[in-house]
Each structure stands twice: as structure tokens, then as C-alpha cells.
């Protein structure tokens, strides 16, 4: 099975949509727009519409309706056709003059039956029928004002946004994030009449809120469609509590049973909870240019895994701040430009230094092909040197058009290299390395005391000091890499000092960043009292304690910290690396923390008999295709690590990662004998720019939040809806992921 099988999944899905849009007004929600953005580009959609007066609109309640000269509309949606989504459809259609409406949903009909409380037995009897879609078609005609008008409702699996052959994103699920121990209390409050849950190990599908269950079922629907496209029967495995629930739901997904009977291929799907290792999400050990681009450039509005590139340099405008919004921004996704796409994939797969040299090489070659007066210079690549090459295209419209995608990536590189935040990257890395040594030699209270002098109010900070958001990133790093630790009087006193200092710094900020507004619940520093600030900090430390204890129930993957010795310094070993190494362990021991989810009686018998007979239990390395899905997002560095690791563990294989929604950040990994692909999100992200490592913090829960309220658009505050645009403070970023 080649990587083209996965990449074509998105392209074929969009071909089905494009076949319906001729001469139509097209409404897209954010997740579908991002899938189009990475998969085939908006230009492909404009070509399919074929109308010089083509209108593309965001699907929202305030969207402009269609005029008398616009009789056809196509709605492309990533979510269930229920509730607020149907109300928005009705409002748009009722104020328009449509005579032909097509509604495309990324969620299949079986999930709509579940959402409408149809029992499984009754749903099985409706196989081959689509009553929910048919009822909506009648409603569409009613809203258009004539039952003789035409309405269509169909399912197209628009799950993935293909960022690269080894990286795919799931932007519609950028808000899906694993549970933390404090969420158990929220679940208990939501089910007062039922048995109380003691810890995350006791959480299963029956204990989750209906909203969260439906979100999981929508994801499972998309993954099942992916497996159908690949022609495989999947075995499901999980590492982590929420991953276990998702894997079990996919293994027992009723509409997939007939597909599995006729599938000729086999695959293993391994889900991994991001919360088991947040060190990799917030750390700065990844020597990758794309990771830095995603970290420092502002988020592209409406997207979870792309950034805005300032294009003023290529115009006659002065590069002043007031001119920044006069020119449409560039971006990283270049789906229809083969040369730019090749450069993008090179940036994903090389270290920072080699990536910058690759950008220079592509610019020089492009300038040479256009006969531009380029002056070659060897040695170290500087932002000024790259800028001089880019300016050669400025007054040549033909060359500018031919290499627009390449120039966008070049400007993204220049703006990242010149960004003040990039200069702090090495400072972060140095401090993280110091923390690793301290964790092995000192108690947690001593480590926190090292952080205390770095907590400074805004009037005392210099450009080299850490902002409140950056301090929170360091705290997440400390607690996640440390894992379980003993709680004593010294730790309590150390945390108390840090809490007090942070609360005071929050109060003294002249202007609250979007993240601090979210954390404190105050939209202005004027309204932020010390009491409110201290309450918010207390909730943050509750989450930090949960993060530290996330691996408590693990037996094999209990630590990501490798102590130092006489020959080696202490280091961080990513959980994803441990999982992949265990999967391809040549001795093939029975997985300890990689739990197999049975899909029926045969699997149960096989697992049971293996306890007292020589029957091999299902193992993730059994099949030629492995799909690794990171729930909560993956970083670019992690995706590259998986891609490089697989061939070294199993020679002759090809590394191919794919991603959920980061950091924000969705981002995950798919692969096997013929490939590995990571699927996830680059990290939950946010409306504000400023980097997936900080944007990821938006995914931290607050104690008063509710589990399972998260919708499928935009970023979330730990499974709670927030204003759109997601990670991965974000996989996202950028995770998001990507996750991967």
C-alpha cells in the first residue's frame, strides 16, 4: 500500500464535492475550508464553480444569502446536521433566492441516526436507507419556498487535510483533547445518580457526556471511511484513557462490519493520548524551521495549522505597520505549486540549518530560470541575503506569478529568522536542558525555586525575560517531564511561592493577552483583582499536578525522563518514540501499555485463549500498515522523528506520518511495511498569533469547565467551545498538530 492511497483519500473526497459546485454559491465551515486549503486549494474550487462572479462564503449565521441571480447553493460542512447547524442553514436559505441546494456533510448517516437517538437495532434495520438526510431534503425545499425545487444531502468523508506525504491533519477535531484526573469530578457531577468514578482508569464510553461521545463517533466515522478507502480491516490499539474509548468505538463501529468482511488488506490503528507526554508539545528541542515558523508567525484566520506571511515586501508599499493589512497574507500551504510543495516537504524533513540553505537554493534556482540578475554568495545564510533574492522578483510580474508559492515560503523563513521570539528559542532550550539536570539531582521544590527569580512583572522585564505565557510553558515542561513525584512540605512551600509570584505578575500586566483573559476570566487588567488572579493560578496548578500524574497508570511508559550518569547527561525520551520502539521490538513481547480493543467474539476468544494456550495475541506490528493517531496533536519534530525512526527499526519500510488538530497544533502516524503515516493536528490553536507552544496552553482545562461540550469548529478550552480560530496560547499546533 503506497502513500498515494492516503493522499488520494482527501483528493477523491473533494472531487465529489467539486462535481456539485458548478455555478453555485459555496458556503464552507472552517474545518472544511482548511481541508480544501491543504488538499487541493481554493483555486481548484473556483475553477469547478466556473463562474466569473463566483462567491465563496463562510458558513455562519450572519452569512450573506444568495440573490435572484444566484439560484444554486452548496454547503460543505464538517459537522452533524443537527441543532445550531440546521438553524443556520434555515436562516441562510430563507433570506436567499435559491432553487437548488446541496448540503455535504463529513459525517455519515449512521452517526446522524445515533445523534437522533435511534437505537442500534433499529439503525441496523435501516441499512441502505437515509431517512435523516431525506427529511432534511424536504426541509430544504420548504425553506426555499417550493417543494418542486431540488435539494440534495450527501455524505463525503472530508476528514483529512494533507500537509505532506508523511503528515495529515484532522482540523475538525482540533478541540478534541484527552481527559485529565480533575475531569473525573466533572463527569461525576454530570451523573449524580450513577456509580461515582474513582479515577481515569474507570472512565469508559458509558460515563462520558453525550456531546463528547458524538464528537468521538464523528471522528470514528471519518477514520472508518479512511480504512475503507485504503481497503483494510483494522485492529485497534490504545495508549491512554480517551484513546481507549476511541479505539473501542472504532473497533465496534457497526457500519464498518460489512466493510471489514470484504477488505483485502490489514492495518493496525494505535491511538495515543497527548497528555501522557506534554514535554514534547511545549519543549524547544526540535531543531526544525517549520516548527519555529508555526511558533512565531501569527495564525491564519480560520485555520488551525497555518500562519499568515506578510507579503508587503513584494509590493511598492512601505513595510509599515499600517500597511500590513492592505495586502492579502501568504501562507504555508501550496497544494497547486509543485516547486513550492517540494520545498515545503524539504523544510519538514530537514534540520533548521539545512532547511534555510534549501530555501536559498530554491530561490537562486528560480531567479536563474527567470534570468534575474542574481548575485551569488556562499557561506552562512542570513535573512538579508534571502530578502535580496526575494526582491529580485518584485518588479517582474511574470516571475512573481510563476514562483508565488516559493516566495511565500521564502518570506515566512525571513520573517521567522528576524522575529524577536526566534532569538529566545535557544534560551528556552538551554533552560530546559538545565531543568533536566536539576530534576535528576534535586527535589521538585528546588526546581521550582530556580524558576522563581525569572517571574518578573512587566515593568521589570527586558526582551530576554520570560512573559507570563512563556513561564506557563516552562511549568508544563517541568511537571510533564518530572512525572509522578512525592508531595511534601517543601514542595507545598515552593509551589506557594511560585503561585503568589505568578498571581501578582498577572495583576500587574498593563494589558491582558487573550490567553490571560481566558485563564483569569477577565477581559481587562482593570477588572483583575489579586483574589481572581490567585484563584486562576490555583486552578492552573491543579492542572499541572494532573499533567504530572498522567502516566501514573502506565506500567511500561511510566517515564519520559532518562537520568544522567558518568558518560551521559540526563535527557528526555519522547513517549511516541517509546511506543514505536515497542511496536517494532524484534522480540515481540506482549504489549503492556498498548491495549488491544476487541471488535467481536473472535477477538475476545483469541485474547482469552492466549492466557493458557499457545495462541498469539493481536500485536500492532502484525499488519503491513500502522496508523498512529495522537489524540490532542503532534509537533512537526515528532512527525519527522516517527518518519525517520520506522525505517531504522524495520529496514525496508517507508516513514509516513499523518496528523489530528497544536497546538494546537489536531496531527498522528500511519505506516507499516510499506509506510507509516502520522494522523493528528499540529496543535490546538487560537485566534491570536504568537506560536503553537504558547497557543497550546489554551487547551488546559479550568476547574469549572465541563467535559464534552466541545463542538467541532475552532479551538477549545479542554473540550469546551471557544471563539474559533484552533492546538495547539497553540499543534496547534500545531499541534497540530499536528500532530503529527
Amino acid at each position: 500500500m503506497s502513500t498515494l492511497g492516503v493522499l488520494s483519500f482527501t483528493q477523491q473526497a473533494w472531487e465529489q464535492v467539486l462535481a456539485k459546485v458548478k455555478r453555485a454559491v459555496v458556503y464552507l465551515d472552517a474545518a472544511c475550508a482548511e481541508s480544501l486549503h491543504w488538499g487541493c486549494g481554493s483555486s481548484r474550487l473556483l475553477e469547478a464553480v466556473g463562474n466569473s462572479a463566483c462567491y465563496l462564503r463562510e458558513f455562519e449565521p450572519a452569512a450573506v444569502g444568495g440573490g435572484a441571480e444566484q439560484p444554486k447553493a452548496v454547503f460543505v460542512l464538517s459537522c452533524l446536521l443537527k441543532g445550531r447547524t440546521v438553524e443556520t442553514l434555515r436562516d441562510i436559505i430563507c433570506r436567499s433566492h435559491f432553487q437548488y441546494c446541496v448540503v455535504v456533510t463529513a459525517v455519515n448517516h449512521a452517526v446522524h441516526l445515533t445523534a437522533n437517538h435511534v437505537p442500534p437495532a433499529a439503525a441496523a434495520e435501516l441499512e441502505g436507507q437515509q431517512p435523516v438526510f431525506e427529511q432534511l431534503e424536504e426541509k430544504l425545499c420548504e425553506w426555499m419556498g417550493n417543494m418542486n425545487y431540488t435539494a440534495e444531502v450527501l455524505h463525503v468523508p472530508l476528514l483529512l487535510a494533507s500537509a505532506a506525504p508523511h503528515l495529515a491533519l484532522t482540523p475538525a477535531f482540533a478541540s478534541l483533547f484527552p481527559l485529565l484526573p480533575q475531569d473525573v469530578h466533572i463527569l461525576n457531577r454530570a451523573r449524580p445518580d450513577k456509580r461515582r468514578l474513582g479515577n481515569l482508569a474507570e472512565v469508559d464510553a458509558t460515563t462520558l457526556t453525550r456531546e463528547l461521545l458524538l464528537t468521538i463517533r464523528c471522528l470514528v466515522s471519518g477514520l472508518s471511511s479512511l480504512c475503507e478507502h485504503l481497503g483494510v480491516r483494522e485492529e485497534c490499539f490504545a495508549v491512554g484513557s480517551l484513546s481507549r474509548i476511541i479505539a473501542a468505538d472504532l473497533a465496534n463501529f457497526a457500519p464498518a462490519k460489512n466493510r471489514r468482511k470484504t477488505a483485502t488488506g490489514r492495518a493496525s490503528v494505535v491511538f495515543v493520548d497527548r497528555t501522557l507526554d506534554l514535554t514534547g508539545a511545549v519543549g524547544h528541542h526540535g531543531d526544525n524551521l517549520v516548527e519555529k515558523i508555526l511558533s512565531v508567525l501569527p495564525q491564519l484566520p480560520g485555520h488551525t495549522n497555518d500562519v499568515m506571511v506578510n507579503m508587503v515586501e513584494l509590493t511598492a508599499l512601505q513595510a509599515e505597520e499600517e500597511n500590513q493589512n492592505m495586502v492579502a497574507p501568504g501562507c504555508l500551504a501550496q497544494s497547486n505549486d509543485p516547486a513550492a510543495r517540494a520545498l515545503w516537504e524539504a523544510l519538514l524533513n530537514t534540520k533548521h540549518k539545512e532547511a534555510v540553505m534549501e530555501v536559498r537554493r530554491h530561490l537562486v534556482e528560480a531567479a536563474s530560470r527567470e534570468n534575474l540578475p542574481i548575485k551569488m554568495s556562499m557561506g552562512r545564510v542570513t535573512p538579508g541575503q534571502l530578502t535580496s533574492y526575494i526582491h529580485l522578483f518584485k518588479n517582474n510580474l511574470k516571475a512573481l506569478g510563476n514562483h508565488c508559492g516559493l516566495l511565500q515560503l521564502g518570506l515566512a523563513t525571513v520573517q521567522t529568522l528576524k522575529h524577536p521570539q526566534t532569538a529566545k528559542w535557544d534560551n528556552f532550550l538551554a533552560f530546559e536542558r538545565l531543568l533536566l539536570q536539576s530534576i535528576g539531582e534535586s527535589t521538585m521544590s528546588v526546581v521550582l525555586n530556580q524558576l522563581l527569580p525569572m517571574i518578573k512583572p512587566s515593568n521589570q522585564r527586558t526582551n530576554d525575560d520570560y512573559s507570563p505565557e512563556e513561564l506557563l510553558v516552562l511549568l508544563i515542561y517541568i511537571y510533564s517531564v518530572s512525572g509522578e513525584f512525592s508531595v511534601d512540605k517543601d514542595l507545598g512551600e515552593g509551589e506557594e511561592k511560585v503561585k503568589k509570584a505568578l498571581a501578582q505578575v498577572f495583576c500587574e500586566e498593563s494589558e491582558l493577552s487573550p490567553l490571560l483573559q481566558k485563564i483569569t476570566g477577565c477581559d481587562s487588567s482593570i477588572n483583575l483583582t489579586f483574589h481572581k488572579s490567585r484563584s486562576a493560578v490555583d486552578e492552573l496548578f491543579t492542572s499541572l499536578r494532573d499533567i504530572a500524574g498522567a502516566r501514573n497508570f502506565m506500567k511500561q511508559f511510566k517515564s519520559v525522563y532518562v537520568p544522567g550518569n558518568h558518560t551521559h547527561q540526563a535527557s528526555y525520551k519522547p513517549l511516541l518514540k517509546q511506543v514505536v520502539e515497542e511496536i517494532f521490538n524484534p522480540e515481540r513481547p506482549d504489549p503492556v501499555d498498548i491495549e488491544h480493543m476487541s471488535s467481536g467474539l473472535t477477538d475476545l476468544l483469541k485474547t482469552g485463549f492466549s492466557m493458557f494456550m499457545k495462541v498469539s495475541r493481536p500485536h500492532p506490528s502484525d499488519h503491513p500498515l500502522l496508523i498512529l493517531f495522537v489524540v490532542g496533536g503532534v509537533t512537526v519534530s515528532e512527525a519527522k522523528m516517527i518518519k525517520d525512526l520506522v525505517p531504522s527499526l524495520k529496514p525496508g519500510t517507508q516513514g509516513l506520518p499523518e496528523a489530528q488538530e497544536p497546538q494546537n497544533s489536531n496531527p498522528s502516524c500511519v505506516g507499516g511495511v510499506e509506510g507509516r503515516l502520522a494522523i493528528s493536528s499540529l496543535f490546538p490553536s487560537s485566534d491570536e498569533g504568537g506560536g503553537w507552544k504558547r497557543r497550546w496552553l489554551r487547551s488546559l482545562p479550568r476547574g469549572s469547565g465541563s467535559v464534552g461540550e466541545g463542538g467541532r469548529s475552532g479551538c477549545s478550552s479542554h473540550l469546551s467551545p471557544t471563539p474559533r480560530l484552533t492546538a495547539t496560547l497553540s499543534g496547534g499546533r500545531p499541534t497540530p498538530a499536528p500532530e503529527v
Side-chain angles (χ1 to χ4, degrees):
M1 182 169 309
S2 68
T3 60
L4 294 177
V6 178
L7 296 176
S8 65
F9 174 65
T10 300
Q11 295 171 349
Q12 288 188 14
W14 276 105
E15 287 301 325
Q16 296 179 56
V17 175
L18 298 178
K20 297 287 185 180
V21 301
K22 187 174 183 180
R23 305 185 69 81
V25 180
V26 182
Y27 296 84
L28 301 99
D29 66 14
C32 286
E34 187 162 8
S35 175
L36 174 70
H37 177 72
W38 287 98
C40 54
S42 58
S43 60
R44 181 73 183 85
L45 178 60
L46 296 174
E47 291 172 7
V49 172
N51 187 346
S52 57
C54 171
Y55 294 92
L56 301 184
R57 294 170 181 166
E58 182 179 6
F59 180 77
E60 59 178 358
V64 177
E69 72 286 358
Q70 298 165 328
K72 181 180 178 182
V74 177
F75 299 86
V76 189
L77 309 175
S78 63
C79 53
L80 283 163
L81 303 179
K82 187 176 174 63
R84 193 174 300 173
T85 300
V86 173
E87 293 173 3
T88 302
L89 272 172
R90 179 198 61 200
D91 293 344
I92 294 174
I93 293 172
C94 286
R95 59 172 174 262
S96 303
H97 295 79
F98 299 137
Q99 300 175 27
Y100 182 7
C101 280
V102 180
V103 177
V104 178
T105 174
V107 183
N108 76 10
H109 186 264
V111 183
H112 283 83
L113 291 176
T114 302
N116 284 278
H117 307 279
V118 177
E125 295 177 1
L126 292 172
E127 186 175 355
Q129 304 177 52
Q130 297 186 329
V132 176
F133 289 177
E134 291 167 1
Q135 290 174 15
L136 182 57
E137 287 174 352
E138 292 181 3
K139 283 292 184 182
L140 293 174
C141 291
E142 181 182 321
W143 297 333
M144 285 188 285
N146 190 328
M147 299 305 291
N148 292 320
Y149 285 165
T150 305
E152 293 181 62
V153 179
L154 63 150
H155 160 241
V156 177
L158 301 171
L159 172 70
L160 301 180
S162 301
H166 72 282
L167 177 62
L169 319 172
T170 56
F173 300 95
S175 62
L176 183 62
F177 202 75
L179 305 178
L180 289 174
Q182 63 183 284
D183 293 318
V184 172
H185 305 298
I186 301 171
L187 290 173
N188 282 330
R189 288 201 299 269
R191 48 199 299 276
D193 301 331
K194 308 223 177 135
R195 179 182 64 85
R196 292 184 64 80
L197 303 169
N199 52 55
L200 280 179
E202 298 178 13
V203 175
D204 59 24
T206 63
T207 63
L208 297 182
T209 62
R210 181 169 178 79
E211 293 82 2
L212 180 53
L213 274 175
L214 283 176
T215 299
I216 290 172
R217 184 59 57 86
C218 290
L219 172 61
V220 163
S221 162
L223 291 175
S224 179
S225 296
L226 172 62
C227 291
E228 181 177 9
H229 176 80
L230 296 174
V232 297
R233 174 184 175 181
E234 68 278 14
E235 294 272 6
C236 300
F237 301 83
V239 183
S241 56
L242 188 62
S243 287
R244 185 174 63 249
I245 295 171
I246 298 173
D249 201 51
L250 177 58
N252 295 282
F253 188 49
K257 289 183 178 178
N258 289 336
R259 163 180 65 78
R260 292 182 182 130
K261 291 176 183 177
T262 58
T264 56
R266 300 296 296 272
S268 296
V269 184
V270 181
F271 295 87
V272 181
D273 280 4
R274 174 79 263 181
T275 44
L276 296 175
D277 177 15
L278 292 177
T279 311
V282 298
H284 293 73
H285 43 266
D287 185 20
N288 186 276
L289 177 61
V290 174
E291 201 158 276
K292 294 176 183 178
I293 291 173
L294 292 170
S295 182
V296 303
L297 295 190
Q299 201 78 14
L300 187 64
H303 289 255
T304 60
N305 298 292
D306 208 343
V307 297
M308 290 194 294
V309 181
N310 186 351
M311 304 298 289
V312 172
E313 288 274 4
L314 291 173
T315 70
L317 292 171
Q318 296 294 318
E320 304 294 339
E321 187 173 347
E322 59 267 23
N323 293 330
Q324 303 300 308
N325 296 324
M326 295 183 66
V327 179
C331 60
L332 301 179
Q334 304 296 331
S335 55
N336 294 317
D337 186 332
R341 183 83 176 188
L343 175 58
W344 165 248
E345 292 173 11
L347 300 185
L348 288 172
N349 296 320
T350 55
K351 293 185 177 181
H352 174 94
K353 183 177 179 181
E354 289 81 359
V356 174
M357 293 177 67
E358 193 71 9
V359 172
R360 178 175 68 177
R361 184 178 70 82
H362 275 72
L363 288 172
V364 169
E365 290 180 356
S368 299
R369 284 195 296 270
E370 298 293 341
N371 295 319
L372 299 176
I374 190 165
K375 295 181 180 179
M376 290 295 297
S377 58
M378 303 304 292
R380 182 170 173 267
V381 183
T382 65
Q385 184 186 102
L386 295 179
T387 301
S388 67
Y389 294 156
I390 291 170
H391 281 174
L392 294 174
F393 296 82
K394 186 173 181 178
N395 297 317
N396 189 322
L397 289 180
K398 181 182 177 183
L400 193 62
N402 290 341
H403 305 284
C404 186
L406 172 62
L407 294 173
Q408 290 177 62
L409 295 177
L411 283 170
T413 301
V414 170
Q415 290 161 26
T416 298
L417 294 177
K418 295 169 67 175
H419 199 283
Q421 195 64 32
T422 303
K424 296 181 73 173
W425 190 278
D426 290 339
N427 294 343
F428 270 104
L429 181 59
F431 188 68
E432 288 164 4
R433 287 175 175 169
L434 176 63
L435 287 173
L436 287 174
Q437 309 314 313
S438 299
I439 288 169
E441 301 168 358
S442 311
T443 62
M444 189 66 165
S445 59
V446 173
V447 174
L448 290 176
N449 286 333
Q450 290 180 335
L451 187 68
L452 197 58
M454 302 164 63
I455 305 176
K456 300 178 181 179
S458 57
N459 59 0
Q460 297 179 21
R461 289 199 300 265
T462 66
N463 291 335
D464 293 329
D465 291 319
Y466 294 103
S467 68
E469 294 91 342
E470 292 165 342
L471 291 168
L472 294 179
V473 167
L474 290 174
L475 281 168
I476 293 172
Y477 185 94
I478 292 170
Y479 278 78
S480 181
V481 77
S482 297
E484 189 176 10
F485 49 79
S486 58
V487 178
D488 54 24
K489 181 181 177 181
D490 289 341
L491 176 61
E493 292 176 353
E495 285 188 337
E496 188 64 26
K497 292 177 183 177
V498 173
K499 286 180 184 179
K500 185 176 179 180
L502 270 180
Q504 191 63 44
V505 164
F506 287 0
C507 289
E508 295 181 11
E509 290 293 295
S510 57
E511 183 178 347
L512 296 180
S513 67
L515 172 68
L516 293 185
Q517 291 179 30
K518 181 179 179 61
I519 290 174
T520 61
C522 295
D523 56 2
S524 170
S525 57
I526 300 175
N527 302 323
L528 181 59
T529 64
F530 182 80
H531 176 72
K532 289 181 180 178
S533 179
R534 181 55 195 264
S535 297
V537 171
D538 286 341
E539 291 180 2
L540 278 172
F541 270 79
T542 300
S543 295
L544 290 171
R545 287 280 188 97
D546 285 350
I547 288 169
R551 296 185 296 273
N552 285 356
F553 293 102
M554 297 284 105
K555 297 181 179 64
Q556 183 177 8
F557 306 134
K558 207 168 184 66
S559 176
V560 296
Y561 176 74
V562 180
N565 54 37
H566 296 298
T567 57
H568 299 286
Q569 290 187 329
S571 61
Y572 156 69
K573 185 174 183 180
L575 182 108
L576 288 178
K577 184 176 184 179
Q578 297 181 46
V579 170
V580 174
E581 287 179 344
E582 177 62 19
I583 289 173
F584 294 106
N585 187 332
E587 297 180 3
R588 285 177 54 89
D590 284 342
V592 178
D593 289 331
I594 305 176
E595 185 178 356
H596 175 252
M597 311 310 297
S598 301
S599 60
L601 181 60
T602 303
D603 283 345
L604 285 172
L605 290 174
K606 184 183 295 185
T607 303
F609 282 133
S610 68
M611 298 175 65
F612 54 87
M613 295 179 63
K614 290 185 178 180
V615 178
S616 61
R617 300 177 64 182
H619 193 279
S621 65
D622 286 341
H623 308 307
L625 181 66
L626 170 70
I627 300 176
L628 177 61
F629 191 106
V630 184
V631 182
V634 71
T635 68
V636 173
S637 294
E638 288 171 332
K640 180 182 182 300
M641 175 193 69
I642 295 168
K643 178 178 179 291
D644 296 340
L645 182 61
V646 170
S648 67
L649 296 174
K650 196 165 185 178
T653 64
Q654 180 184 3
L656 304 172
E658 182 181 346
Q660 172 198 342
E661 148 162 285
Q663 215 190 150
N664 128 148
S665 149
N666 331 143
S668 355
C669 174
V670 183
V673 167
E674 301 174 43
R676 301 290 180 279
L677 178 62
I679 305 182
S680 181
S681 183
L682 281 180
F683 273 102
S685 47
S686 61
D687 287 316
E688 73 276 10
W692 61 264
K693 297 200 181 289
R694 294 188 302 283
R695 291 195 297 270
W696 181 84
L697 291 176
R698 292 175 62 94
S699 294
L700 281 178
R702 299 192 62 202
S704 59
S706 61
V707 177
E709 295 176 353
R712 297 185 60 232
S713 62
C715 178
S716 78
S717 169
H718 196 70
L719 301 178
S720 300
T722 63
R724 193 188 66 250
L725 257 127
T726 102
T728 299
L729 304 165
S730 157
R733 123 170 99 116
T735 117
E739 170 240 21
V740 265

